[in-house]
Amino acid sequence: MTKALKGVRILDFTHVQSGPTCTQLLAWFGADVIKVERPGVGDITRGQLQDIPNVDSLYFTMLNHNKRSITLDTKNPKGKEVLTALIKNCDVLVENFGPGVLDRMGFPWEQIHAINPKMIVASIKGFGPGPYEDCKVYENVAQCTGGAASTTGFRDGLPLVTGAQIGDSGTGLHLALGIVTALYQRTMTGKGQKVTAAMQDGVLNLARVKLRDQQRLAHGPLKEYSQYGEGIPFGDAVPRAGNDSGGGQPGRILRCKGSETDPNAYIYFITQAPVWEKICDVIDEPGWKTHPDYAKPAARLSRLNEIFARIEQWTMTKTKFEAMEILNKDDIPCGPILSMKEIAEDQSLRATGTVVEVDHPTRGKYISVGNPIKLSDSPSEVTRSPLLGEHTDEVLRQVLGFSDHQVAEIHDSGALDPPRKQAAE
């Protein structure tokens, strides 16, 4: 079965998380992703957070599946020749260097476009044009500058970042869409173009409902927020709302049976208006169906704390899975708080390829996240991440068509090997 992106070749100059997320997604869809790494060092995450000595870390392996790795010293004259040849033979160059790094390498957009007018150059940066465009950004910085942290947490507590990597991985996913879009446009124009995704912009896109609420706030209180029912005035910016729902249907995280000892014995419960009467039946409050303080959604908004406290009395008599089974029979929206251990052991996620087991030559077997996007005619196969420089000679010969003599010459130049330290005199 043909892969969706078969025939597309990606020159991958990415590292850490945001860029590798993008190129891994493209590789899962069948693109030939050639990861260019520094000789002797490679992507810095190969050695970060190692759980097994002298083995590529899970940080690296889980972000670089289905890729080929070559080592290349781009400061070496022969290395520059190889890079030029790669640009000629690839469709997309993806990078998440700091601002100006490609230019200092001698390969600004104008040079790349001259070498290969069809080349798409895709970049992740921390910020778009403006006062901060030259600043270096990491995951939590992006969450803070994109508006997510200021609206996450509880009203009387610190702003919080989320465990979901919405700055790094989120922006990588945005960039992947931009690349595929540019590839599609190229089929009509024949021309490459620049594609950029700023981490601040990506986070803001994912936090758009809070920008929505900022505008609503100018016209009155946000009635679905807990503080409205508590009679606490709103300020001039969207507040942190704890676990209140971000949509029009009020929701909360509630304790379940076993929460005294299990930190994840909780369920998210949404009091959706169309199933309100069924909720009343489940929690044994039939009078709430017709009582003027509870019967209509608008009346319930000022009583959400009381309502969810009553629902929690019921959820605490059930495990989160028992509660989910009961509530789903009546189409009451809910979801258990799943720990990473529970997710790792979930056989249904294994069956769909959302969680996969991969065999690595030095690490052995480990589990990883598979492709979250499923195509009916192009199923994704997750293969292991490459060892550092594993495919260098293969790429030189098969992709660039270099002869054995040329490959040997490049090796002799030192362009593929770590710089030699000068002996002390």
Side-chain angles (χ1 to χ4, degrees):
M1 194 173 286
T2 303
K3 296 294 184 182
L5 293 180
K6 183 179 180 181
V8 174
R9 183 167 288 143
I10 311 290
L11 186 56
D12 183 1
F13 268 102
T14 70
H15 58 287
V16 192
Q17 184 178 168
S18 61
T21 297
C22 169
T23 52
Q24 177 172 258
L25 187 62
L26 300 174
W28 280 338
F29 285 130
D32 178 15
V33 176
I34 301 171
K35 186 175 179 75
V36 182
E37 301 187 73
R38 284 190 299 160
V41 180
D43 188 321
I44 192 172
T45 59
R46 285 185 183 269
Q48 286 186 338
L49 304 176
Q50 284 180 318
D51 55 320
I52 302 174
N54 304 314
V55 171
D56 287 339
S57 72
L58 287 167
Y59 195 4
F60 175 84
T61 59
M62 293 176 69
L63 286 163
N64 291 282
H65 292 125
N66 296 53
K67 303 178 184 181
R68 297 198 277 183
S69 169
I70 70 168
T71 54
L72 190 65
D73 179 0
T74 57
K75 295 179 181 179
N76 181 294
K78 277 290 182 185
K80 289 185 183 294
E81 290 180 20
V82 173
L83 179 52
T84 300
L86 284 167
I87 291 171
K88 288 179 180 177
N89 284 275
C90 290
D91 300 285
V92 186
L93 185 155
V94 189
E95 59 93 13
N96 63 327
F97 292 128
V101 171
L102 268 185
D103 293 3
R104 292 193 294 274
M105 285 171 55
F107 291 89
W109 158 252
E110 294 77 14
Q111 175 72 4
I112 294 171
H113 189 62
I115 295 169
N116 181 358
K118 298 179 70 175
M119 169 70 80
I120 292 161
V121 177
S123 304
I124 288 177
K125 295 291 178 275
F127 297 95
Y132 306 116
E133 62 184 304
D134 292 331
C135 296
K136 186 178 290 187
V137 173
Y138 290 92
E139 171 65 43
N140 289 351
V141 174
Q143 290 193 31
C144 293
T145 59
S150 71
T151 56
T152 302
F154 288 91
R155 186 176 60 251
D156 54 355
L158 292 172
L160 292 177
V161 295
T162 173
Q165 305 293 282
I166 60 174
D168 278 327
S169 289
T171 308
L173 296 174
H174 282 88
L175 188 69
L177 175 60
I179 290 169
V180 172
T181 303
L183 284 168
Y184 178 77
Q185 186 173 7
R186 194 181 70 176
T187 64
M188 294 177 285
T189 66
K191 296 180 180 179
Q193 61 182 298
K194 292 190 289 184
V195 180
T196 58
M199 293 172 71
Q200 181 187 39
D201 299 358
V203 171
L204 178 58
N205 187 44
L206 297 176
R208 66 175 66 188
V209 296
K210 299 300 182 179
L211 188 60
R212 170 204 69 190
D213 290 349
Q214 181 63 41
Q215 297 169 86
R216 291 173 57 220
L217 189 57
H219 302 284
L222 305 174
K223 295 181 178 180
E224 76 279 12
Y225 282 54
S226 297
Q227 72 182 75
Y228 171 72
E230 296 168 10
I232 299 173
F234 285 78
D236 61 0
V238 174
R240 292 183 278 285
N243 290 314
D244 291 344
S245 173
Q249 307 291 342
R252 297 275 179 88
I253 290 179
L254 305 176
R255 291 175 294 172
C256 290
K257 187 177 181 179
S259 61
E260 300 83 3
T261 56
D262 181 355
N264 294 299
Y266 291 84
I267 193 168
Y268 200 90
F269 192 113
I270 297 176
T271 56
Q272 188 182 31
V275 292
W276 173 247
E277 292 191 359
K278 293 179 179 179
I279 293 171
C280 294
D281 289 335
V282 166
I283 65 174
D284 196 25
E285 290 288 354
W288 282 5
K289 297 179 188 179
T290 55
H291 195 291
D293 289 344
Y294 305 98
K296 301 295 183 183
R300 293 195 290 271
L301 287 175
S302 62
R303 297 172 175 81
L304 290 179
N305 286 348
E306 175 194 347
I307 289 169
F308 280 112
R310 176 64 187 91
I311 296 172
E312 190 173 59
Q313 289 178 7
W314 177 81
T315 59
M316 288 181 67
T317 67
K318 314 292 180 191
T319 68
K320 60 188 178 185
F321 297 112
E322 290 170 343
M324 185 179 180
E325 184 176 357
I326 293 168
L327 296 170
N328 281 340
K329 289 177 182 177
D330 287 324
D331 293 326
I332 299 170
C334 65
I337 307 304
L338 295 180
S339 69
M340 281 298 163
K341 182 177 186 296
E342 289 168 322
I343 288 173
E345 296 172 353
D346 190 319
Q347 293 305 307
S348 67
L349 295 178
R350 302 284 185 105
T352 60
T354 300
V355 174
V356 296
E357 185 174 82
V358 183
D359 201 359
H360 190 273
T362 57
R363 166 170 289 282
K365 292 184 178 180
Y366 66 96
I367 62 168
S368 188
V369 178
N371 194 341
I373 303 169
K374 322 295 185 187
L375 301 184
S376 62
D377 286 348
S378 181
S380 296
E381 177 187 2
V382 177
T383 60
R384 68 170 176 85
S385 61
L387 301 175
L388 179 59
E390 180 178 352
H391 304 97
T392 299
D393 285 7
E394 177 181 297
V395 169
L396 293 177
R397 289 188 171 93
Q398 295 181 4
V399 176
L400 303 183
F402 289 172
S403 66
D404 290 346
H405 173 73
Q406 288 174 301
V407 172
E409 193 176 51
I410 295 167
H411 273 285
D412 290 342
S413 75
L416 309 177
D417 305 304
R420 293 188 184 128
K421 292 183 179 179
Q422 301 247 342
E425 295 182 357

